[in-house]
Amino acid sequence: MTLAPPPEIVRVALGARSYDILVGHGALAALGERLSGLVKRPQAFVLTDETVMRLHKARLEAAVAGAGIALDWRAVPPGEQTKTFAQLEGVLDWLLAGGADRGDVLIAFGGGVIGDMGGLAASLMKRGMGFVQVPTTLLAQVDSSVGGKTAVNTPRGKNLVGAFYQPRLVIADTSLLETLPARELKAGYAEILKYGLINDAPFFAWLAQQGSRVLALEPDAAREAVARSCASKAAIVAQDETETGVRQLLNLGHTFGHALEAANGYGPDLLHGEAVALGMALAFRYGAELGVTPAADAAQVATVIEASGLPVTLAGRDRARFTAKRLAELMQQDKKARGGRVPLILARGIGAAYIHPDADLASIEAFLDRELLETIT
């Protein structure tokens, strides 16, 4: 039997608010010891969803048992539809009823929805209580659990109400991913591909060769992919915590992707990672149309994404909801859009993403019209 490599520690360097990310198969075992140094009393609050609670509650309880830490649990329904004001209010009421104060810690134990909403609740709770991320999806381990973005959705768009609020610790135990459906793993893998496309062409090339091992959750390959992704994001966050500059590069694929999700009503037939994968393919093709992205690179990106089982075209989408006009309107509602133009992350090639500050939405709408025409069968 091949032993899993020991957890790797990735540091997010933010001065007094710096924290560690522990990455690897079995990393959850370190939670009790780590948590003991963060709580002022032997208890913590755990926000999770009903699926994760059923699958992994016993593992989290065991991880803190040796430290003598009691856990107060709250489980909400799974899915993006949970990330609402109403659910946020319920979480805050649970914390208040449980006597939580600023010296306590809230553990977000779940995917991106739980991490986003839990982090926002922690930021609001008596103006800020401690917060630990234990992500249970690949997407959350490499993206949403790192960097302090917290939010809930509104009918007008995704993540429009939120705050920057850093966790005290992140534990990315890749063994927790073993219960994920293959589709969820692939959705998270889209965010891993993103880091290669932003500024690490050798990592993208490695993924093109080793992606099947990552998706099979082979311990060494999974640790390498997650740790390298976290390190990439940590380096960017350390330079630009509140997304006024270089951190915008992390939105590669997301401006298109968020519009696709909103057009789909955040329904389960288009997962966030799937929308991001499609959004990245669109961004590379749009860049090729503008003449800033080599067409060969755009084609290669689509090939690698598609080989991972992720979407690269709008084929098969409901034509009533997915229209170029509607998608452009939703991009106009992006929180960074101004006066008919939107900052868009494009690329001068694989590993060479840049901020295109004033993409013209009329031009994007025309591009999407052509994309839709090409996928009509």
Side-chain angles (χ1 to χ4, degrees), residues 38-376:
L38 299 177
V39 295
K40 69 173 189 179
R41 51 183 173 172
Q43 71 172 58
F45 296 85
V46 184
L47 177 66
T48 189
D49 69 42
E50 293 159 356
T51 301
V52 173
M53 187 165 185
R54 173 174 53 83
L55 291 171
H56 298 303
K57 179 182 180 181
R59 291 190 63 180
L60 193 72
E61 295 272 9
V64 302
I69 296 173
L71 300 178
D72 185 344
W73 291 80
R74 179 179 178 85
V76 298
E80 191 74 25
Q81 296 88 335
T82 288
K83 208 165 73 174
T84 64
F85 277 112
Q87 287 287 354
L88 176 64
E89 182 179 12
V91 170
L92 291 168
D93 186 64
W94 159 66
L95 291 168
L96 289 166
D101 63 33
R102 295 173 69 177
D104 289 318
V105 167
L106 173 63
I107 301 171
F109 187 42
V113 168
I114 294 300
D116 283 0
M117 188 165 64
L120 183 56
S123 76
L124 295 170
M125 184 63 194
K126 298 183 179 178
R127 298 190 176 93
M129 68 183 291
F131 171 45
V132 168
Q133 288 265 24
V134 183
T136 61
T137 67
L138 184 55
L139 191 150
Q141 288 190 0
V142 301
D143 184 58
S144 59
S145 68
V146 180
K149 277 189 176 182
T150 72
V152 291
N153 300 334
T154 82
R156 296 187 181 277
K158 185 179 174 71
N159 296 332
L160 294 182
V161 178
F164 289 96
Y165 193 68
Q166 299 295 339
R168 305 282 297 280
L169 171 72
V170 179
I171 293 188
D173 187 334
T174 55
S175 71
L176 292 171
L177 307 177
E178 292 168 359
T179 58
L180 279 181
R183 185 180 170 211
E184 292 278 357
L185 276 173
K186 292 173 185 175
Y189 186 69
E191 295 282 0
I192 292 177
L193 290 168
K194 180 188 75 176
Y195 293 108
L197 293 174
I198 289 173
N199 61 6
D200 195 346
F203 183 39
F204 186 78
W206 182 85
L207 291 168
Q209 297 298 317
Q210 304 295 327
S212 61
R213 295 182 61 228
V214 176
L215 288 169
L217 297 179
E218 293 184 21
D220 59 338
R223 187 187 72 156
E224 173 71 13
V226 173
R228 196 157 171 177
S229 297
C230 288
S232 178
K233 183 165 187 178
I236 290 174
V237 169
Q239 295 177 64
D240 177 23
E241 182 179 1
T242 56
E243 202 176 27
T244 57
V246 67
R247 185 168 178 170
Q248 294 178 54
L249 293 175
L250 296 172
N251 289 319
L252 176 64
H254 284 64
T255 305
F256 283 113
H258 285 169
L260 291 163
E261 286 183 277
N264 197 53
Y266 304 108
D269 54 321
L270 183 65
L271 301 178
H272 174 70
E274 293 169 340
V276 168
L278 175 50
M280 291 190 297
L282 290 171
F284 268 75
R285 286 201 292 275
Y286 181 62
E289 279 206 3
L290 295 180
V292 298
T293 306
D297 282 12
Q300 183 183 356
V301 167
T303 296
V304 173
I305 292 174
E306 191 169 30
S308 306
L310 290 160
V312 294
T313 75
L314 289 161
R317 300 294 166 192
D318 182 349
R319 298 297 164 160
R321 286 183 291 173
F322 290 88
T323 67
K325 181 176 177 59
R326 176 60 175 151
L327 291 171
E329 287 173 349
L330 288 165
M331 291 173 77
Q332 174 67 57
Q333 293 174 15
D334 186 282
K335 47 189 172 293
K336 296 172 286 297
R338 296 288 185 277
R341 308 183 84 83
V342 63
L344 193 62
I345 308 306
L346 299 179
R348 296 185 178 91
I350 292 170
Y354 73 98
I355 302 166
H356 191 75
D358 58 352
D360 178 38
L361 284 168
S363 167
I364 292 171
E365 182 177 342
F367 162 73
L368 290 170
D369 254 332
R370 290 189 290 276
E371 285 280 323
L372 287 161
L373 284 172
E374 288 177 7
T375 59
I376 293 174

